[in-house]
Amino acid sequence: MGKRILVTGGSGFIGSHLTKKLFSLGEEVTVMVKYKSLIDNVRLSPIWDQIEVIEADLKNIDSLRQLNGRKFDHIYHMAAYNHVGDSFLHVNEALLANAVGTANLLEYVNDFEKFLYMSTSEVYGYQTSVPFQEDMIPPSFALLGRKVCR
């Protein structure tokens, strides 16, 4: 059997493609999907019965107890606030989903070899030039004269 892989946000657009690819490569795939998200899960319908599915919400630490004691070789953490364009309007909700959700995940799954955290272009803030580059500083930080550690 292949590596034990956890994909959070595995029924999302990118997550579902990653999940199907990992499965086709012979990996032992577990996906975490937000409970009651049946519409999104249709993306995984071809392999649904051949992968392990965990329904949980990363913001709800109680729902993550089912991960307690689990070991994964690799974790692809793709779950995130899914209204990227609204993340500046709903900052608290985005922080809960992204930052607190990630901390909650790491609280319950701490036995892994590699952890890949997908991020978002929103971390660069509003930029006037594209493509974004990793050394870009959000303009609001620059205007405030804040230093950003990289």
Side-chain angles (χ1 to χ4, degrees):
M1 191 46 111
K3 293 187 181 324
R4 292 169 297 199
I5 309 284
L6 173 65
V7 180
T8 67
S11 64
F13 180 76
I14 297 172
S16 63
H17 286 282
L18 174 65
T19 298
K20 288 186 274 189
K21 181 64 175 180
L22 291 167
F23 177 77
S24 74
L25 293 172
E27 308 296 10
E28 185 181 325
V29 182
T30 299
V31 295
M32 179 181 293
V33 299
K34 192 171 180 183
Y35 34 72
K36 308 220 190 284
S37 62
L38 294 175
I39 292 172
D40 291 336
N41 295 336
V42 72
R43 295 179 179 129
L44 295 175
S45 61
I47 61 170
W48 188 260
D49 294 331
Q50 300 165 72
I51 58 175
E52 180 182 7
V53 179
I54 296 175
E55 290 185 293
D57 184 342
L58 291 173
K59 295 178 295 187
N60 179 354
I61 200 158
D62 293 327
S63 74
L64 298 178
R65 291 185 184 170
Q66 58 193 309
L67 294 173
N68 205 10
R70 299 283 303 269
K71 180 184 183 338
F72 295 97
D73 296 307
H74 299 168
I75 297 174
Y76 293 90
H77 180 36
M78 306 188 78
Y81 181 69
N82 64 351
H83 299 289
V84 177
D86 291 340
S87 62
F88 291 112
L89 298 173
H90 305 283
V91 174
N92 190 52
E93 190 175 349
L95 283 172
L96 284 172
N98 298 344
V100 174
T102 300
N104 288 346
L105 175 64
L106 291 170
E107 180 75 24
Y108 276 97
V109 183
N110 52 29
D111 193 358
F112 54 87
E113 291 177 19
K114 292 184 180 180
F115 186 94
L116 176 71
Y117 179 42
M118 295 299 292
S119 190
T120 172
S121 62
E122 297 302 306
V123 300
Y124 299 107
Y126 177 76
Q127 297 288 339
T128 56
S129 64
V130 255
F132 296 153
Q133 296 178 2
E134 291 183 12
D135 61 351
M136 288 180 150
I137 297 173
S140 57
F141 281 35
L143 289 173
L144 295 172
R146 296 184 181 173
K147 294 188 181 206
V148 178
C149 296
R150 296 244 182 236

